[in-house]
Amino acid sequence: MDGTADDEALWSSLPTAFGKQSTKADLAAQINRSKRVVVDPSSPHQPSSLAIKSEHDHEEQHENINNDGGEDGDEDDDDEDDDEDEFPVSHELLLKTHERAVTSTSLDPSGSRLATGSTDCTIKLHDFASMTSTTLRAFRSVEPTSDKSSEAHPVHHVAFNALSASHLLVVSATPQAKILSRDGDLLTEFVKGDMYLRDMHNTKGHVSEITTGTWHPTDRNLFVTAGTDSTLRIWDVNNKRSQKEVIVHKSRKAGSGGRTRMTAVVWGSPRQGGNSMLIGAALDGSLVMWSGDGPFSRPAGEIRDAHVKDTWTGGLDVSADGRLVVTRGGDDTIKLWDTRKFKSAVTTVSHPSTSGQYPTTNIRFSPTSSNIITGSASGHLHILSPATLKPELVTPVTPGSPLIDVLWHDKLNQIITGSANAETHVLYNPSISHKGASLVMSKAPKRRHIDDDPSLTTDLSQGISGDSIVNPNGLLNGSNQAPLSYAARHPTVGLTASGRPRDPRRPNLPAVTPFGKTQPDEKHIKEHIPLSSMRDEDPREALLKYADKAEKDPMFINAWKHTQPKTIYAEVSDEEAEEGPDQKRARR
C-alpha cells in the first residue's frame, strides 16, 4: 500500500505533456469578479444592497407575509434575482480616467466608443474593442477649449450623433459649440455672436455661455444649443458662420427685462412617425414647447410655473412615442407632463436635487420608455415607473458621492453613470447585455509589459517626459546609489543660503547654459562668417575711403558727367562773416 501511494504522488508531480504549456484565463471567474456585492438591507451595520425596493413594495411584501402566516426568505431572493435579470445592474465596470466630476457621457450608435466630459476641462474617448480588464484606460484625451488664445473651460455636454457616428457635439462653458470627430479631432467651431447687439435675432451666434445641446432626431446635419442669452439656436453642421434659426424665449418674470437662461433642451420625434417637437426649460421656471419643424415665432405650448423660479432645471427628456415629458428641477421635484395636454403636471414626486452644484444633472427615459432613470445626491441610481414615478429599483453606485449623469443605451442594454468623484460606471448583465462592458470582461487580460507602466515610459510626442526633471548628474528617484564625490554628497557645504560661496576670494561663477558651451569664438567668426569685420569698422571712415574714387570715376552719375551743373554758392558779406554761421537773426 505504501508503495502504491508513493507511485501516485510521483505520477501526480510529473507533467502531463512536454513543450510549452499554454495557460488559459478563467473568463467566467473574471466576469464573476465584476459582479456587484448583494448585501441584506435589513442589517443596519452592512452597506446598502444591490437592489433596494421602494417602501411601497416592502409594505406589500409585509402584508403578504402576514396574510400567509409567515414565509422564509426564498421569495425575497427570487424577487431580487428577477430585478437583476430585468435591469442590467448585476455587474459593473469601473473607469477612472478623469480627475474631477464627470458631467456628461455619450455612446455612439453602435456602442463601441464612449465619450465622457468632466469639469477637469477634458473629454476622454474610450474604445471597448481595444480595452481589457487590465487596460481600462482612455485612448485619447482632448481639451476642446485649450488653445493659444483662450483658457480651458469645463465641459457641459457631449453627444454622439445618432445618425452619424463620426460627429461628436461638444458644449463647454463658452459661447461656441464644437464638432469633433470620433477620434477627437476638431472638425468645426461655430461662430460667436456680437455681444453688443440688443436684439438676439440679429446675432449670428450665442453671445454668452452655452448650457447644453442635442441633435435632431431625423436630420443628421442639424442640432440645437441652449444658451444663457435666453435663446435656442438651430445649427447646420455645414455652416459654421451663422445659425439656421434663432428662437428667443421672452421671460415674463418681473424685473428680468424679458431675458432668462435656457437650462435644458430636448428634440424628440415619435418612432411611429409624425412631427418632431422641441422642448426647452428656462431658469424662470417655464417649460416651452415648439414644433420641431417650425415655425418658431410662437411656441405650441408654454407652462410658466413648471418649476420654482430661479431654480435650475437640468433634467429634461421626452419618451419614444413623444407623448410624455419628464423634468427634474432644482426645486427637489420630478414631474411628468403630457404633450397632448401641455398645461399641468400629470404626476409629481419629491426627489432631492443636485443641480445647484452640478447643473448638468439629468434624467432620461429607458430605450423602450418603460422606465425612467436618474441619479441622486446620495450616489444611488433610481429606476422609476413612468406611470407613478415611484422607484422600481434603487441601487447604490457611488455611495456618498452625487450621481450626475445617467445613460441607458438601447443596443448594448447597459447603463452608464458619471459621478462627482470622477468615476464612470458601466452597469451590465452578462445574460441580457451585449458587447460594451460585457465584451471587455469576456476577454483574456492583457499580459503586463514594462511599457504598460507610465512611469517607466517616455512620451514620444513631447520628446522627454514633460513631467520629469532631467538631471544628468543626479540620482534616479528611489535608487540607493551612493554619490561619488564629496561635493555631490554635501552640496550645501561652503555656500550661503542664497547659493553664493562663503569664501570671498572665490568668485561667483555664473551658471553655464547649454548654449554657452557651443557659442563660437571670435576667431571662428572672422574666418568663417563673411563681412564679419564690418562690426569693428567706423562707418564714416568706411564710406570716405571711396570718396576719391567716386569723384574721379563716378559709377551712377557717369551719364551726366559733362552736363552736370556747377555748384554756385552764395557770396557772404563781411558782416555775415564776422557774425558767424551759427548766429541767426531774430524773426519779428
Side-chain angles (χ1 to χ4, degrees):
M1 295 295 294
D2 296 339
T4 305
D6 294 340
D7 293 341
E8 291 179 356
L10 177 62
W11 283 108
S12 61
S13 63
L14 294 176
T16 57
F18 295 97
K20 184 178 180 180
Q21 303 294 324
S22 61
T23 57
K24 295 183 179 180
D26 191 354
L27 300 180
Q30 179 173 291
I31 294 177
N32 289 333
R33 283 196 296 270
S34 67
K35 188 173 183 179
R36 307 178 69 202
V37 179
V38 179
V39 184
D40 185 9
S42 61
S43 177
H45 301 289
Q46 293 182 350
S48 302
S49 67
L50 170 64
I52 306 176
K53 294 193 173 183
S54 62
E55 297 179 358
H56 179 71
D57 295 337
H58 282 299
E59 292 176 359
E60 291 182 353
Q61 291 180 3
H62 185 66
E63 291 178 358
N64 294 334
I65 291 174
N66 293 335
N67 294 333
D68 296 340
E71 295 179 0
D72 53 7
D74 295 339
E75 292 187 1
D76 294 340
D77 297 339
D78 294 340
D79 292 340
E80 290 186 0
D81 295 339
D82 293 340
D83 291 336
E84 293 179 17
D85 295 337
E86 182 182 0
F87 305 115
V89 295
S90 60
H91 297 66
E92 71 175 349
L93 178 68
L94 176 60
L95 300 175
K96 294 183 179 181
T97 54
H98 285 284
E99 297 178 358
R100 294 184 182 179
V102 179
T103 56
S104 181
T105 60
S106 180
L107 278 166
D108 65 346
S110 63
S112 61
R113 190 149 295 184
L114 171 65
T116 58
S118 171
T119 55
D120 60 3
C121 310
T122 62
I123 297 175
K124 304 291 184 178
L125 298 176
H126 311 78
D127 188 25
F128 287 120
S130 61
M131 288 193 299
T132 63
S133 59
T134 57
T135 57
L136 299 176
R137 62 173 70 100
F139 72 90
R140 185 169 182 183
S141 177
V142 182
E143 293 186 12
T145 59
S146 177
D147 52 28
K148 296 181 180 180
S149 60
S150 64
E151 299 178 355
H153 295 81
V155 178
H156 287 333
H157 186 72
V158 292
F160 275 104
N161 192 343
L163 304 176
S164 177
S166 60
H167 288 167
L168 176 65
L169 173 63
V170 176
V171 174
S172 55
T174 61
Q176 296 175 270
K178 296 184 179 182
I179 301 294
L180 303 182
S181 68
R182 60 185 287 107
D183 296 326
D185 300 325
L186 179 62
L187 299 179
T188 308
E189 183 178 6
F190 295 90
V191 71
K192 177 183 177 181
D194 190 349
M195 60 190 305
Y196 296 103
L197 295 179
R198 177 65 181 173
D199 189 359
M200 291 293 101
H201 291 92
N202 298 327
T203 57
K204 297 183 178 180
H206 286 284
V207 299
S208 58
E209 178 183 343
I210 305 177
T211 56
T212 185
T214 186
W215 290 96
H216 193 283
T218 57
D219 192 342
R220 60 188 299 178
N221 294 323
L222 298 182
F223 68 93
V224 62
T225 55
T228 56
D229 54 1
S230 191
T231 63
L232 300 177
R233 299 177 188 263
I234 300 176
W235 302 83
D236 190 339
V237 295
N238 301 315
N239 183 15
K240 65 179 181 179
R241 298 185 179 276
S242 178
Q243 71 276 338
K244 185 178 180 180
E245 295 284 347
V246 182
I247 306 174
V248 180
H249 173 61
K250 295 183 179 180
S251 176
R252 302 189 182 185
K253 179 184 175 182
S256 63
R259 288 193 179 186
T260 184
R261 298 182 180 183
M262 304 304 294
T263 60
V265 64
V266 64
W267 210 336
S269 177
R271 289 185 177 179
Q272 64 272 16
N275 296 329
S276 61
M277 62 191 70
L278 185 62
I279 304 174
L283 187 64
D284 60 356
S286 60
L287 187 65
V288 191
M289 179 175 62
W290 292 270
S291 175
D293 300 327
F296 304 103
S297 57
R298 291 186 60 183
E302 181 178 2
I303 304 173
R304 298 185 184 178
D305 298 325
H307 288 276
V308 178
K309 296 180 180 179
D310 296 329
T311 59
W312 194 276
T313 304
L316 176 64
D317 198 14
V318 62
S319 61
D321 57 4
R323 296 182 179 180
L324 298 177
V325 176
V326 63
T327 58
R328 181 181 176 185
D331 53 357
D332 298 337
T333 60
I334 296 178
K335 296 185 179 182
L336 190 68
W337 313 85
D338 192 342
T339 56
R340 296 165 295 183
K341 297 180 180 179
F342 204 65
K343 294 182 179 180
S344 59
V346 178
T347 309
T348 303
V349 295
S350 177
H351 190 84
S353 174
T354 58
S355 60
Q357 185 177 4
Y358 303 102
T360 59
T361 303
N362 67 345
I363 186 170
R364 292 180 184 266
F365 278 95
S366 65
T368 60
S369 297
S370 59
N371 297 102
I372 298 174
I373 59 172
T374 187
S376 65
S378 60
H380 288 69
L381 174 67
H382 293 247
I383 301 180
L384 312 176
S385 171
T388 60
L389 293 183
K390 292 184 178 179
E392 296 184 357
L393 183 72
V394 180
T395 175
V397 179
T398 54
S401 181
L403 206 63
I404 302 174
D405 187 84
V406 293
L407 172 65
W408 194 334
H409 196 266
D410 53 349
K411 290 187 177 180
L412 299 184
N413 195 18
Q414 299 175 14
I415 299 176
I416 294 90
T417 64
S419 305
N421 60 355
E423 292 182 356
T424 304
H425 291 254
V426 183
L427 307 181
Y428 71 101
N429 191 329
S431 59
I432 60 176
S433 299
H434 310 283
K435 298 183 178 180
S438 181
L439 174 64
V440 174
M441 299 308 297
S442 62
K443 290 181 181 180
K446 183 180 178 182
R447 201 169 184 180
R448 297 293 295 177
H449 191 267
I450 189 173
D451 293 340
D452 293 333
D453 189 355
S455 62
L456 302 177
T457 57
T458 301
D459 189 358
L460 297 180
S461 63
Q462 300 180 1
I464 302 176
S465 176
D467 298 333
S468 61
I469 299 176
V470 180
N471 186 6
N473 298 324
L475 304 179
L476 296 177
N477 294 332
S479 64
N480 296 324
Q481 178 184 357
L484 301 179
S485 63
Y486 178 82
R489 295 195 304 270
H490 306 85
T492 59
V493 173
L495 300 177
T496 60
S498 60
R500 294 181 176 273
R502 297 182 184 275
D503 190 356
R505 297 171 298 177
R506 182 181 178 183
N508 183 25
L509 300 177
V512 180
T513 62
F515 300 98
K517 298 180 180 180
T518 60
Q519 186 176 2
D521 54 1
E522 184 178 359
K523 181 180 179 182
H524 176 79
I525 293 175
K526 289 183 178 181
E527 293 179 355
H528 296 85
I529 300 178
L531 301 179
S532 60
S533 60
M534 295 178 62
R535 299 186 306 168
D536 301 330
E537 292 182 339
D538 186 4
R540 184 172 181 277
E541 294 179 357
L543 291 175
L544 289 178
K545 69 181 180 180
Y546 297 103
D548 297 339
K549 183 179 180 180
E551 184 178 357
K552 296 178 181 179
D553 187 14
M555 182 183 301
F556 301 102
I557 60 174
N558 196 18
W560 298 275
K561 182 177 181 181
H562 301 287
T563 60
Q564 188 74 12
K566 184 178 180 182
T567 305
I568 300 176
Y569 297 99
E571 296 181 357
V572 181
S573 61
D574 297 338
E575 297 178 358
E576 293 177 350
E578 293 178 359
E579 293 178 359
D582 296 336
Q583 295 181 0
K584 299 181 179 179
R585 296 180 181 179
R587 296 181 180 180
R588 295 181 180 179

